[in-house]
Amino acid sequence: MNLFDILTANAVPHAPFLERPDRSVDTYADLMARTARLAHALVARGVKVGDRIAVQVEKSPENLYLYLAAVRAGAVFLPLNTAYTQAEVDYFVADAEPALLVRDDTLGELVEEARGLSPEFATAAREPDDLAAICYTSGTTGRSKGAMLTHANLASNAATLTKLWRFTADDVLIHALPIYHVHGLFVATNVVLSAGASMIFRPKFDAAEVLGLFDRATALMGVPTFYTRLLAQAGLTKEAAANMRLFISGSAPLLAETHREWEERTATAILERYGMTETGMNTSNPYDGDRVAGTVGFPLPDVALRIADPDTGAILPTGEIGMIEVRGPNVFAGYWRMPEKTAAEFRPDGFFITGDLGKIDERGYVHIIGRGKDLIISGGLNVYPREVEAEIDAIDGVVESAVVGLPHPDLGEAVTAVIAVGPGSSLTEAKVLDALTDRLARYKQPKRVVFVEDLPRNAMGKVQKAALRERYAKLHL
């Protein structure tokens, strides 16, 4: 049960799979041949079944084929954000111990090595519970954790979403998401493959360019930032969107205002859904029926979702806010080499504790209320305050820091640092940002730095981040 064979089971060789930026088209036959050659190249490099392959390269069709080739060869794919610094990459390599670390130059070498190799490759046999990928996701304390995703996890989510969102071989997806992230790599790509559909592949999101592709496409998957930037385009009209059957948003909360404005401009309702690195997709607004602004819809057909008391685990009634817990074939196998952390994140009956606070209304729609772990989602990317705070606290003159997310019209949330400094400190916002340049990926770096004498605390001495978010809610970002 190799994910690669499952996703390509219905592939039609001559059908288009991927349109490159230069408008040339790779067919499904090209996909099969390119992944076979790359799989041979990986094996020639000494990669064995079960080995990890860490990949930090710019988005390209070859990068996508490397993911599929790794899975086909029975390896475990480990995507890394291209914005990660060397210090961050060093940690991932030490933790995952990959057999191969691929960067842009290495990928070029692999592609060259693959050119003369056989276009046929016997896909490695894998069991449903064997690992297909490890995706790192940080915690509010400690270092990043590797979420272990199995062949069955990814296959089940792809099959469910393909059916739920009505994808067929006639669909053309605009693929403008990064592919070091679950959304672009496993949701967008795997759904296209599962349906035998095709994609217009773009290295990055450009609102004017994407709007110009609407007449040749049928679907777009994006983060809220995509939609706010598209709404800033004067050419976004009902007529411009006439060929598009589906706009999907996820990875961060979509403002109800954005949802309403989009429907007014295009006469289409954005379909918002909810997922996590550890689970893939958990819920979705309906394809048919009300796509309710401010909600993430219903649990997927094969996913059980409940709201529980964060402390006791007791199931809460309709309308009450508590911890979102999920169980289903999409839920990951645990954290890489962290059995105690894995055990702590699951209830005895197998439900995964998401860390997200939410409620289920009387119609069954799931609402995300907040994040119990103070996660910040900026431009669709996860930023974990504790990691940023650790770097800030190491700067001379900093007594203590608290990092929070503040509402931002474009990014959804902006990383903001509130820093307590000692008497006579000469620290400035510019000095703090300069100190973080080589320590944190760009998207994790604060957009603003605020200095205070003391951080607000509760009776137990814990910093009150909610109070900081409220105090600086109208800070100019």
Side-chain angles (χ1 to χ4, degrees):
M1 182 183 163
N2 189 302
L3 174 68
F4 179 85
D5 282 355
I6 294 169
L7 293 177
T8 58
N10 299 314
V12 176
H14 65 268
F17 167 61
L18 180 149
E19 179 187 293
R20 293 171 178 260
D22 64 3
R23 298 285 296 261
S24 62
V25 175
D26 292 359
T27 64
Y28 273 87
D30 294 326
L31 177 152
M32 300 301 289
R34 290 175 188 274
T35 56
R37 292 188 171 104
L38 277 171
H40 282 299
L42 292 173
V43 171
R45 288 280 188 111
V47 173
K48 301 183 294 295
V49 170
D51 280 351
R52 276 78 60 205
I53 298 176
V55 178
Q56 188 191 36
V57 299
E58 295 298 328
K59 183 180 179 182
S60 68
E62 286 65 38
N63 184 356
L64 197 67
Y65 290 137
L66 179 61
Y67 149 58
L68 295 169
V71 173
R72 191 174 186 183
V76 181
F77 194 73
L78 200 164
L80 297 176
N81 191 326
T82 50
Y84 283 146
T85 64
Q86 186 59 50
E88 289 167 315
V89 173
D90 288 345
Y91 166 75
F92 298 126
V93 169
D95 189 58
E97 296 184 292
L100 188 63
L101 170 62
V102 180
R103 283 178 154 158
D104 289 302
D105 55 347
T106 321
L107 179 57
E109 293 167 4
L110 277 170
V111 171
E112 283 301 313
E113 292 167 15
R115 289 191 193 282
L117 301 179
S118 171
E120 303 287 336
F121 185 88
T123 300
R126 298 272 73 195
E127 294 297 321
D129 291 339
D130 287 334
L131 299 189
I134 296 175
C135 293
Y136 276 87
T137 179
S138 301
T140 51
T141 58
R143 297 295 291 179
S144 299
K145 310 181 295 294
M148 300 186 292
L149 299 168
T150 68
H151 286 257
N153 289 154
L154 298 178
S156 69
N157 219 218
T160 297
L161 296 175
T162 301
K163 183 177 181 180
L164 198 69
W165 293 339
R166 312 280 178 87
F167 271 81
T168 72
D170 294 327
D171 274 302
V172 180
L173 175 76
I174 300 172
H175 195 310
L177 291 161
I179 53 174
Y180 51 71
H181 191 268
V182 166
H183 192 173
L185 189 62
F186 300 139
V187 182
T189 301
N190 290 357
V191 166
V192 166
L193 285 165
S194 181
S198 64
M199 64 174 78
I200 300 175
F201 197 79
R202 287 295 177 268
K204 59 183 177 58
F205 176 78
D206 179 278
E209 181 184 53
V210 166
L211 179 58
L213 296 173
F214 280 8
D215 62 346
R216 297 198 292 116
T218 64
L220 173 68
M221 294 186 193
V223 297
T225 304
F226 282 20
Y227 296 102
T228 59
R229 292 182 181 176
L230 283 165
L231 282 166
Q233 297 289 313
L236 181 69
T237 62
K238 178 181 177 181
E239 291 71 28
N243 200 55
M244 298 286 289
R245 72 170 185 86
L246 188 57
F247 294 99
I248 299 171
S249 181
S251 296
L254 182 75
L255 295 177
E257 179 184 344
T258 304
H259 191 285
R260 286 190 289 269
E261 188 179 351
W262 186 271
E263 191 161 8
E264 289 170 5
R265 292 272 294 276
T266 68
T268 63
I270 295 172
L271 187 152
E272 192 174 9
R273 83 301 179 281
Y274 161 62
M276 302 178 67
T277 300
E278 291 94 337
T279 64
M281 295 306 100
N282 295 310
T283 76
S284 172
N285 266 274
Y287 187 85
D288 294 320
D290 295 337
R291 299 175 191 173
V292 179
T295 80
V296 291
F298 307 108
L300 301 186
D302 53 358
V303 174
L305 183 148
R306 68 191 186 191
I307 307 296
D309 183 288
D311 298 320
T312 67
I315 310 305
L316 297 177
T318 298
E320 287 201 21
I321 295 172
M323 183 66 67
I324 298 175
E325 300 181 354
V326 296
R327 184 176 65 188
N330 58 314
V331 176
F332 75 138
Y335 294 111
W336 173 255
R337 293 177 175 170
M338 288 186 174
E340 292 180 358
K341 180 63 176 173
T342 299
E345 298 294 329
F346 283 88
R347 297 291 185 192
D349 59 359
F351 274 79
F352 172 59
I353 305 165
T354 66
D356 290 319
L357 300 174
K359 67 178 182 179
I360 302 174
D361 66 22
E362 64 282 352
R363 297 178 64 191
Y365 285 82
V366 178
H367 299 242
I368 309 296
I369 303 301
R371 290 175 293 278
K373 298 175 182 177
D374 287 324
L375 170 68
I376 299 167
I377 302 180
S378 185
L381 298 174
N382 290 359
V383 180
Y384 294 85
R386 187 68 211 111
E387 185 178 12
V388 183
E389 289 161 359
E391 297 295 346
I392 294 174
D393 292 347
I395 299 171
D396 286 342
V398 172
V399 174
E400 188 180 16
S401 66
V403 170
V404 297
L406 297 181
H408 190 281
D410 191 24
L411 299 173
E413 290 182 305
V415 179
T416 307
V418 183
I419 300 177
V421 293
S425 171
S426 61
L427 268 184
T428 64
E429 185 172 44
K431 286 181 180 178
V432 171
L433 295 178
D434 183 63
L436 298 175
T437 299
D438 295 324
R439 299 301 303 167
L440 292 169
R442 183 73 179 267
Y443 71 89
K444 298 179 186 177
Q445 296 171 23
K447 294 290 181 287
R448 285 299 307 274
V449 176
V450 178
F451 295 96
V452 296
E453 288 187 12
D454 298 292
L455 296 174
R457 300 178 183 278
N458 63 17
M460 299 298 291
K462 185 177 180 180
V463 173
Q464 294 180 299
K465 290 192 172 182
L468 291 174
R469 284 191 286 265
E470 182 176 350
R471 182 186 303 174
Y472 297 108
K474 295 183 179 179
L475 185 70
H476 181 68
L477 298 168

